[in-house]
């Protein structure tokens, strides 16, 4: 699949959308450990949201090991490392994915991208402030674990989704992420996706395992967002570098992602600064003395 630049969209529409000052819902998708299907959840949820009428941008925030573009068979001409180097704008690196979603690809195999400095984060501020691609929902596919970048994305998002599978390490590490975000960064509401389960009942039991521990030891609210079953159609879609939502409308996993998108659309519209795209990026800068007015 070839890339489509931003001018494939009506840029004027993007400007009108920005001027309307409509809050942007920012959803951070994370997990305690790798290998639990987090990126697949991010991609398919994004496509399901676009099918429901949302204008979606998916940001690959696994900044040094990005793979969203590969998962979708897209050929990127640039990535976030080029934006930070001043070699491109966000609109210039934006790829058009399935159902018209915008995709911001991350670098792959660039160690420096995994630990951005405050000055580099400041560069993202001005970049997002000037982005013209129209957006209602920004889905952030963060790295796994509790690295600094993961914490910052989750801390700044309107909503946080934690993907977990039925393995002891996945459950333990998911709990650790929730613990760190709640105790050290004030995130108190999490949506849990049980991935790669046999059926809805197993997904509910997995959620309860995590929920019981969280309720006992942490001051947080966990909601069961849904369960994604083992699905051969999902495996086939991955092999074809497509989303299961695109290819197999009747698949069990497609129905699961569609139900999740319906839940997202029922969430309250963000009203505070966290719901605004420019504030989302500004909050990534870990420097209280940094004046945003000097960065734009």
């Amino acid at each position: 699949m070839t890339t489509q630049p931003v001018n494939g969209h009506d840029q004027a529409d993007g400007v009108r959308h920005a001027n309307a000052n409509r809050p942007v819902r920012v959803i951070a998708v994370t997990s305690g450990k790798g290998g639990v299907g987090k990126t697949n959840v991010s991609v398919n949820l994004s496509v399901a949201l676009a099918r429901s009428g949302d204008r979606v941008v998916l940001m690959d925030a696994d900044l040094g090991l990005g793979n969203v573009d590969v998962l979708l068979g897209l050929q990127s001409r640039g990535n976030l490392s080029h934006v930070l180097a001043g070699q491109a704008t966000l609109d210039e690196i934006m790829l058009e994915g399935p159902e018209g979603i915008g995709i911001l690809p991350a670098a792959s195999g660039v160690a420096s991208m995994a630990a951005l400095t405050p000055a580099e984060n400041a560069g993202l501020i001005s970049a997002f402030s000037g982005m013209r691609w129209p957006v209602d929902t920004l889905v952030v596919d963060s790295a796994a674990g509790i690295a600094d970048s993961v914490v910052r994305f989750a801390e700044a998002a309107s909503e946080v989704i934690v993907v977990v599978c039925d393995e002891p390490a996945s459950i333990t590490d998911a709990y650790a992420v929730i613990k760190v975000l709640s105790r050290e960064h004030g995130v108190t509401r999490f949506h849990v996706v049980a991935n790669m389960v046999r059926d809805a009942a197993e997904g509910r039991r997995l959620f309860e395992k995590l929920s019981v521990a969280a309720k006992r030891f942490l001051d947080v609210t966990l909601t069961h967002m849904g369960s994604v079953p083992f699905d051969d159609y999902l495996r086939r879609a991955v092999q074809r570098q497509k989303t299961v939502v695109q290819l197999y409308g009747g698949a069990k996993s497609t129905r699961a992602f569609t139900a999740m998108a319906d839940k997202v659309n029922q969430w309250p519209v963000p009203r505070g600064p966290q719901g605004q795209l420019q504030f989302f990026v500004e909050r990534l800068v870990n420097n209280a003395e940094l004046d945003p007015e000097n960065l734009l």
Side-chain angles (χ1 to χ4, degrees):
M1 182 174 181
T2 58
T3 62
Q4 297 294 326
V6 68
N7 57 11
H9 275 259
D10 179 358
Q11 289 192 355
D13 178 63
V15 174
R16 286 194 296 271
H17 178 59
N19 291 340
N21 203 33
R22 177 178 176 178
V24 175
R25 176 182 282 117
V26 181
I27 303 172
V29 183
T30 189
S31 64
K33 66 183 290 291
V36 300
K38 171 184 57 62
T39 298
N40 232 322
V41 170
S42 298
V43 170
N44 280 283
L45 176 60
S46 295
V47 174
L49 284 168
R51 285 199 164 185
S52 74
D54 270 16
R55 292 175 290 187
V56 180
V57 168
L58 171 59
M59 177 181 180
D60 190 344
D62 194 347
L63 297 177
L65 294 170
N67 65 351
V68 167
D69 53 340
V70 175
L71 191 66
L72 291 174
L74 301 172
Q75 297 177 353
S76 60
R77 296 169 299 178
N79 55 58
L80 290 173
S81 69
H82 297 104
V83 175
L84 291 173
Q87 299 169 351
T89 66
L90 288 176
D91 290 308
E92 288 170 342
I93 70 165
M94 188 82 74
L95 307 178
E96 185 167 349
E99 299 295 327
I101 66 173
I103 296 169
L104 290 170
S108 182
V110 181
S112 61
M113 287 295 294
L116 298 183
T117 66
E120 289 169 328
N121 277 320
L124 282 177
I125 295 175
S126 56
F128 270 89
S129 297
M131 190 177 77
R132 291 189 170 193
W133 191 285
V135 57
D136 300 309
T137 301
L138 173 65
V139 177
V140 181
D141 181 40
S142 73
I146 52 176
D148 188 58
S149 64
V150 176
V151 170
R152 291 182 185 179
F153 283 119
E155 184 181 29
S158 315
E159 308 288 345
V160 177
I161 295 174
V162 179
V163 181
V164 62
C165 63
D166 199 5
E167 299 174 358
S170 175
I171 298 170
T172 300
D173 290 351
Y175 175 84
V177 166
I178 293 170
K179 178 181 177 180
V180 168
L181 289 175
S182 63
R183 290 188 174 178
E184 299 181 20
H185 301 278
V187 181
T188 60
R189 186 174 68 246
F190 300 87
H191 307 276
V192 178
V193 172
N195 198 24
M196 298 184 287
V197 295
R198 283 190 293 269
D199 51 35
E202 183 180 88
R204 171 60 67 174
R205 288 193 297 271
L206 174 54
F207 167 75
E208 291 297 338
K209 289 179 186 179
L210 188 58
S211 181
V212 166
K215 287 179 180 177
R216 183 176 179 184
F217 299 108
L218 305 175
D219 185 18
V220 296
T221 299
L222 266 60
T223 62
H224 182 40
M225 187 171 178
S227 302
V228 182
F230 280 109
D231 189 347
D232 189 56
Y233 287 109
L234 182 55
R235 181 185 61 83
R236 293 183 199 177
V238 170
Q239 291 175 336
R240 293 179 60 181
Q241 293 180 291
K242 303 286 185 180
T243 66
V244 70
V245 174
Q246 288 175 268
L247 294 181
Y248 306 110
K252 292 179 180 179
S253 53
T254 294
R255 294 199 297 269
F257 289 120
T258 301
M260 288 182 205
D262 291 341
K263 287 187 177 181
V264 170
N265 287 324
Q266 293 171 15
W267 291 347
V269 175
R271 297 184 181 277
Q274 284 179 307
Q276 299 296 336
L277 193 59
Q278 63 270 29
F279 283 98
F280 163 74
V281 184
E282 286 172 2
R283 290 194 59 184
L284 297 183
V285 180
N286 188 22
N287 187 340
E289 297 179 358
L290 206 55
D291 181 4
E293 293 296 325
N294 295 329
L295 302 172
L296 303 180

